[in-house]
Amino acid sequence: MHSQSIETDMLNRDTNFDTKQIAQAATGGNQGLPEQGWGIEGCVPGQDSIAKIPLRNWRVSIGRDPHGDICLPSPNVSKQHAQIILSENQIHVADLGSTNGTFVNGQRIAATAILKEGDLVQFADVELRLVKIQTTVVDRTAVEARPEHRWALSSMHKVISGNEMATFFQPIVTADKHELIGYEALVRATVDGLESPLVLFDQAVKLGVEQKLSDVCRVKALETIDQAGAAGTLFLNTHPNESLEAELLNSIQKLRDASPDRKIVIEIHESAVTRIDLLREFATALHDLDIQLAFDDFGAGQSRLVEICQVSPDILKFDRSLIRSIVQGERNYKLVATLHESAKQMDICTLAEGVETPEEIAACIEIGFDLFQGYAFGKPNKISEFI
C-alpha cells in the first residue's frame, strides 16, 4: 500500500512523450470516445461497490477536485493528481506533481507511463485497473463494504501472478484396493482474506477475473506436479463461467503441449453445460488431446441425465451430499445405487467424492463405485507429502 509514504522505486519516464505532446496526439481534443472503449474500475472512496468508470474523453483529469472528470475523495489524493491521455495508439498516465504519487503495478512513475489492459494504477491510496468496457455503461458489482476491499485488485493481482498461490493435491484411489491413481489439484492463496478457495473465486467473480484465475490455477498445478516428479492422473477444475469454447480449449492445448505424457482429466461443473452441441465438441476436442472429461459434483444441483445420455463423460464424480446420504436411509441408498447403475450401463467410470467414514466406504463399495476421494484417503496437501 502507498498512502503517506513516497516510494523510491520509479518507473522510467516515457521519453517520447510529455503531457502536451500526448494531448496533441489525441486529435480532436475532448471529443467523445467510441461506444466500445476504455475505462477504469475499482473501489472509489465513499462507495461500497466496485465501479467501472468509462474514460469518456481523450484526456481525463483525476484527483480530489469534485469538478474534475474523475473525483477520488481521499485526503491522500491531490486535488489535481493525474491525467489519463488516450492517443491514437497508446494510453498514458501522467502524474501532475501529486504529493503522494501515482503508481503503475506498484511502481511510482516519475512523470508519464504507458498503460496496457489490466494494469493496476494507484493514485495515492486509491487503486484502480485499466479495462475495456462499453463506454455508455457504468456498471457496479456489489462488494462487501469493508476497508480491505479497497485493495482487492492488488490482492488478486498477487494471486494471479503466481507469487501468492500454492497448489494442494487430494489423493484419488481405487475403490477395491485403495491404490493411488492420481490427484485433484486445489488452489490455496496466501493473501490475507483470500485463503479460502470459495472466498478467492467469489472475489475473482466480482472483479471479473475468474476465468483468468482458473487458467492460472491449472497451469500452476501442472507445473507443480511435474516439477515434483509425481506420477498419476491430474484432475484439473474449470470455473462454471468458462465457456466450453475456443478460449478454454486453447488453454488446455497449452497444458498438453507443456506435459505431453501426463494423464489429465478436465472437470466441468453442471452450470457450465448450457448447450449439448458445445459439450459434444468440447469432449471430442479433449479426446483428440488424449485428455479425459469428468462431470463434477453430480447430484449437487441438476442431475444432468440428459447430457450424460447424449455426451457421456469418461468419469462421473458423485457429489459428497449424495455420498453422505447413502448411510442415512434405505431410500437414499437406492437412489444413489440407481443413478450409479445408469452410469455404469453407459461405461462411465464412477467416483465417490467426500468419502469420510467406514460406513460410507462400505456402502460405496457395495454399490460398486470405481474410485474414491475424500478425507478417509487423504486431505489436500502439498505434493511433497505424497511422494
Side-chain angles (χ1 to χ4, degrees):
M1 298 183 184
H2 313 286
S3 55
Q4 300 297 338
S5 63
I6 299 297
E7 294 284 336
T8 57
D9 188 10
M10 302 272 193
L11 283 177
N12 291 329
R13 176 175 176 172
D14 177 14
T15 56
N16 293 322
F17 286 84
D18 59 27
T19 55
K20 290 183 180 180
Q21 290 173 321
I22 298 170
Q24 291 169 357
T27 57
N30 285 338
Q31 293 177 8
L33 293 174
E35 184 174 340
Q36 176 68 40
W38 292 96
I40 52 177
E41 68 176 8
C43 291
V44 176
Q47 298 182 1
D48 60 357
S49 65
I50 293 176
K52 289 184 178 179
I53 307 170
L55 301 176
R56 296 190 181 278
N57 301 319
W58 293 110
R59 181 165 53 184
V60 179
S61 62
I62 300 172
R64 203 175 66 251
D65 186 352
H67 301 293
D69 295 317
I70 297 177
C71 177
L72 303 178
S74 165
N76 296 315
V77 173
S78 297
K79 188 173 182 179
Q80 296 179 344
H81 195 101
Q83 288 182 339
I84 292 180
I85 305 102
L86 291 89
S87 61
E88 186 174 350
N89 299 314
Q90 293 180 328
I91 302 174
H92 295 75
V93 60
D95 185 82
L96 301 180
S98 65
T99 301
N100 290 312
T102 301
F103 302 80
V104 177
N105 297 327
Q107 293 185 302
R108 187 171 182 173
I109 66 172
T112 67
I114 297 173
L115 297 179
K116 62 181 183 299
E117 183 178 4
D119 277 348
L120 298 176
V121 187
Q122 194 174 315
F123 307 98
D125 61 347
V126 180
E127 182 182 73
L128 302 168
R129 179 176 63 167
L130 182 69
V131 293
K132 285 184 177 179
I133 63 172
Q134 294 291 328
T135 60
T136 56
V137 177
V138 178
D139 174 60
R140 286 182 169 81
T141 303
V143 65
E144 295 85 349
R146 297 202 300 265
E148 58 267 31
H149 285 125
R150 294 273 297 280
W151 305 102
L153 289 170
S154 60
S155 295
M156 189 61 64
H157 179 73
K158 290 177 182 178
V159 176
I160 290 179
S161 69
N163 297 328
E164 299 288 347
M165 175 195 295
T167 304
F168 277 32
F169 298 83
Q170 186 169 31
I172 295 173
V173 304
T174 60
D176 53 357
K177 298 181 180 180
H178 300 174
E179 295 176 342
L180 179 70
I181 64 98
Y183 309 89
E184 180 179 355
L186 303 165
V187 65
R188 294 292 185 270
T190 56
V191 175
D192 289 344
L194 298 178
E195 296 90 346
S196 164
L198 291 177
V199 173
L200 175 66
F201 273 96
D202 180 63
Q203 191 67 22
V205 169
K206 291 173 181 176
L207 295 173
V209 295
E210 68 275 17
Q211 296 183 43
K212 176 63 175 177
L213 176 61
S214 182
D215 182 30
V216 170
C217 288
R218 291 190 293 269
V219 172
K220 181 78 170 180
L222 184 62
E223 290 176 349
T224 301
I225 197 170
D226 279 356
Q227 289 172 3
T233 302
L234 179 61
F235 287 67
L236 295 172
N237 288 289
T238 58
H239 191 275
N241 289 351
E242 289 184 282
S243 176
L244 306 181
E245 297 183 78
E247 185 174 357
L248 177 57
L249 284 170
N250 288 339
S251 73
I252 295 173
Q253 173 72 64
K254 292 177 182 178
L255 297 177
R256 173 51 75 212
D257 293 342
S259 187
D261 300 323
R262 172 71 60 182
K263 293 182 179 179
I264 297 174
V265 176
I266 295 295
E267 301 184 18
I268 62 171
H269 191 269
E270 63 182 9
S271 60
V273 181
T274 57
R275 289 170 47 189
I276 294 296
D277 58 333
L278 283 181
L279 177 60
R280 184 178 292 109
E281 292 172 4
F282 183 76
T284 299
L286 288 186
H287 291 158
D288 289 343
L289 295 173
D290 194 22
I291 292 176
Q292 291 187 306
L293 172 66
F295 284 177
D296 193 19
D297 298 331
F298 176 71
Q302 303 175 21
S303 294
R304 292 189 302 190
L305 294 176
V306 172
E307 291 88 343
I308 291 172
C309 290
Q310 297 194 34
V311 185
S312 297
D314 300 289
I315 301 172
L316 187 62
K317 300 185 73 173
F318 281 64
D319 186 73
R320 66 187 64 196
S321 62
L322 284 181
I323 303 306
R324 193 177 299 117
S325 75
I326 61 178
V327 296
Q328 296 174 350
E330 183 178 357
R331 186 175 181 177
N332 294 335
Y333 179 95
K334 288 182 177 179
L335 172 62
V336 176
T338 299
L339 292 172
H340 180 272
E341 178 61 25
S342 297
K344 294 310 296 179
Q345 288 179 359
M346 290 180 279
D347 295 322
I348 299 172
C349 176
T350 56
L351 186 154
E353 290 187 293
V355 182
E356 296 185 4
T357 68
E359 293 78 14
E360 290 170 354
I361 294 173
C364 286
I365 290 176
E366 188 175 69
I367 288 174
F369 278 92
D370 300 305
L371 302 172
F372 287 161
Q373 179 181 355
Y375 281 8
F377 305 99
K379 296 182 179 180
N381 212 328
K382 296 180 179 179
I383 193 64
S384 59
E385 298 298 317
F386 300 114
I387 59 176

